[in-house]
Amino acid sequence: MTRLLRLLALLCALGAAPAAAQAPASLVADAIGFDATSLTASGNVEVFADGRVLRARRLTYLRDEDRLVVEGPIEVVDPGGDAVLVAEFATLSRDLRTSVLQGARLVLDRQLQLAANEIARDGTGVTQLYQVVASTCEVCPDAPVPIWQIRARRVVHVEETGQIYFERARFEVFGVPVAWFPVLRLPAPTNGRTSGFLAPTVTSDDLLGTGIAVPYFITLGPSRDVTLAPFVTTNEARSLGFRYRQAFDAGAIEVNGALGSDEIRPGEARGYLFAEGTFGLPRDYRLDFDLELVTDDTYLLNYGITEKDRLDSRIAVSRVERDERVLAEAIVFDSLRTGEDNRFLPSREVNVVKERRFDFPGIGGIGAWSLQGQVRERPASVATARDAGLTGAEGARDVSRFSASFDWRRSWVTGGGLVFTTQAAAHFDTYRISDDPAFGDDVLTRGVPYGAVELRYPMTRTGADGAVHTLEPVAQLILAPDERRNPPDEDSLTPEFDEGNLFSLSRFPGRDRRELGSRVNLGVSYRREVVDGWSLGGTVGRVVRDGDPGQFRPGTGLDGQGSDWLLSMDARRGGFGLMARALFDDQLDFNRAETILRWTGPRGRIDTRHTWLESDATAGRPRDTSEWALDASYGLGGDWTGRANWRYDFVTNDPTEAGLGVTYATDCVSVDFDVERRFTSNPALEPSTSYGLSVKLAGLGGQERRTRKRRCGL
């Protein structure tokens, strides 16, 4: 009887690892009979072993032959309740190592189905299937031919390596043969990483022509891999893309790049190299680095890698704790913009920062201090008269800066609900400036103190409908000096004015400029909140100054003795969101305005925005900007999803960018097709249209797709 139970356990574990065959088994049936030569179980036969269940019509154990015969239909169910093996007939040999099933279907990891006339398995974990049809697609009653399938004379599944080998394989799409392979190897669904070809990508572009990239993935152990992607086109473009990844105990690195040639720049080697990594260091420090290199200004756009037009290579050591931040970094910038010469840009920068926050002793409140050192260099050592026409007198300027700042803030709440806040701050900067005739080789020292008092009076009321209404007027008085000597401005060229910095001591984004002059910041905000309903809110505010220090350009909305009016509104409910903000003067002339609409539903999403900016030549914006952008996707029914993106310039009445795409994704295949059109051009870059096609077979190599519902038909 012991031998019988081991045979039953082995049969029950046909879809699992061989080691499971050592578990004991239990037999249940409507009728069990035995004699001197055999034992027979019939009627609703069930065998339980290692959490699995085997169901069959009849089971016979031949004592003299030490062999088990099972008559079907046979079904093996794993602990999760999914059938992993179905057969019509099975027999197990006396050595407990070999099993043969006829008319069987094997399901691996509930994804890949292999139907075969016969399945044979030995105790080494090797399963052989004969006259096989394999697919990850659902086979539907009214459409018995799946979207794709592989027919093969023999298939070998090796559990230890997670590989499936096909002999004399034929790949079919909707039953039509499209490719033949004498030998084909595929990773099993349980195999997450294995060397082999990845899904190819077909593209078509006005400049590069029609091309194909065929990536090949190579594992280099459990923590490293490399992907090589040869790319060829009809317009003589040839390149080799690559990606290298490695994980360490304390970090990881990734390197991406490509090198090749094309007819866009004949006779030149073109390519790029992007690398990044993160490592943990002792005492909770962290090392981050990224490297961004490219051979020419248009390569990244030509090959659709990124639209980034200013590259930055950086290495940094940092530590961030609850009350402290430490940072040391070095950055090299590389501008790809037309008209910008890297020799005359502050493209080399070093920063060292330490910040700390603490409970202020004695008078209470929160205190903070920071120390920063910074060096900005231009590669050029001198700007010639010819260069000065393009770069200005600062064309070769180098700047070193040391800064120290202190901040203290404390709030009180009165019995009537009035929130009273005091704040004090001081900023000290020392600059060393060279190679700039406007400053000479000069040392400039500056100190800017601030004092502020703020009053808030939040008022809340709950309406009869359960809505909570909150109204909060705010007045903030800031005392600051009217004049200070200004160093060169390189990090504060684009100040912003919005609800996020309405009550800030300074609205300049960097340290080269400190907002001067005493002023009053005024604002009032309102919000209406309903549980599972609409959330509505808005803020209106303005800055009133004692005088005009002349620090802000007209295009910022902060110039003059009184700033423009700031208006911000938002509305949200479920997947719908609307946000709008605007700056306008007393005559209701808008300086800038932005409206953002977002919607996410069960079948799609929409993200669209309109931006209006008044012209500002000093900010590099010689004409007004009025642009509408759209990014949307929507389920078209079944397994089809459509995508669209659009960018339109209302000033020139021309589109600048447009794209359409469609995805067909099922439990067994994913097809993506995209069309992109770039309308803008410059002396180095022509308008172009590109097409992309990618086909991926799902359910192989550990791809996660079980959350997708199986469907029948298109």
Side-chain angles (χ1 to χ4, degrees), residues 213-448:
V214 184
Y216 189 82
F217 179 78
I218 305 172
T219 60
L220 303 174
S223 61
R224 296 181 297 164
D225 58 58
V226 62
T227 303
L228 302 177
F231 177 64
V232 296
T233 74
T234 56
N235 285 3
E236 301 301 322
R238 304 287 186 269
S239 70
L240 177 64
F242 58 87
R243 183 190 69 181
Y244 176 80
R245 301 184 301 179
Q246 182 168 358
F248 301 88
D249 291 339
I253 62 172
E254 180 173 333
V255 182
N256 291 272
L259 182 64
S261 62
D262 53 46
E263 294 302 308
I264 299 177
R265 301 172 76 100
E268 296 184 18
R270 306 186 72 198
Y272 81 103
L273 178 67
F274 286 0
E276 62 181 6
T278 300
F279 292 90
L281 300 177
R283 298 179 59 188
D284 295 328
Y285 281 92
R286 169 174 162 171
L287 171 67
D288 296 280
F289 73 88
D290 70 87
L291 177 67
E292 297 181 344
L293 302 173
V294 68
T295 56
D296 56 80
D297 294 348
T298 62
Y299 179 87
L300 299 177
L301 282 176
N302 289 155
Y303 286 81
I305 297 168
T306 178
E307 294 187 359
K308 193 173 183 178
D309 57 4
R310 278 181 176 168
L311 307 182
D312 56 273
S313 299
R314 174 178 178 265
I315 183 170
V317 176
S318 63
R319 185 178 69 183
V320 179
E321 297 179 322
R322 181 179 180 272
D323 295 322
E324 184 180 71
R325 183 175 79 101
V326 179
L327 170 68
E329 65 177 356
I331 309 174
V332 177
F333 297 96
D334 180 15
S335 176
L336 308 180
R337 297 181 180 182
T338 301
E340 290 189 348
D341 191 333
N342 285 291
R343 294 177 301 160
F344 306 111
L345 296 176
S347 56
R348 298 187 296 226
E349 182 176 315
V350 176
N351 288 297
V352 179
V353 181
K354 183 169 185 178
E355 300 174 332
R356 186 170 182 81
R357 183 182 62 181
F358 56 93
D359 294 328
F360 204 88
I363 60 176
I366 300 297
W369 58 262
S370 70
L371 300 174
Q372 182 183 38
Q374 184 183 76
V375 177
R376 296 192 294 262
E377 291 186 344
R378 289 167 168 82
S381 58
V382 63
T384 65
R386 175 180 175 275
D387 298 327
L390 300 175
T391 67
E394 73 281 3
R397 180 177 61 215
D398 298 329
V399 179
S400 301
R401 171 175 57 81
F402 174 77
S403 299
S405 64
F406 170 81
D407 181 89
W408 170 78
R409 181 184 181 95
R410 184 178 179 184
S411 297
W412 294 266
V413 180
T414 68
L418 182 68
V419 182
F420 176 73
T421 302
T422 59
Q423 189 173 0
H427 301 272
F428 303 94
D429 305 287
T430 298
Y431 285 80
R432 176 70 169 84
I433 307 164
S434 59
D435 294 333
D436 188 343
F439 292 89
D441 291 339
D442 193 8
V443 175
L444 184 152
T445 301
R446 175 188 63 180
V448 181

Side-chain angles (χ1 to χ4, degrees), residues 141-159:
D142 57 346
V145 179
I147 296 176
W148 68 266
Q149 62 184 6
I150 301 174
R151 292 184 175 272
R153 185 183 68 85
R154 186 170 77 110
V155 173
V156 178
H157 174 222
V158 183
E159 290 181 0

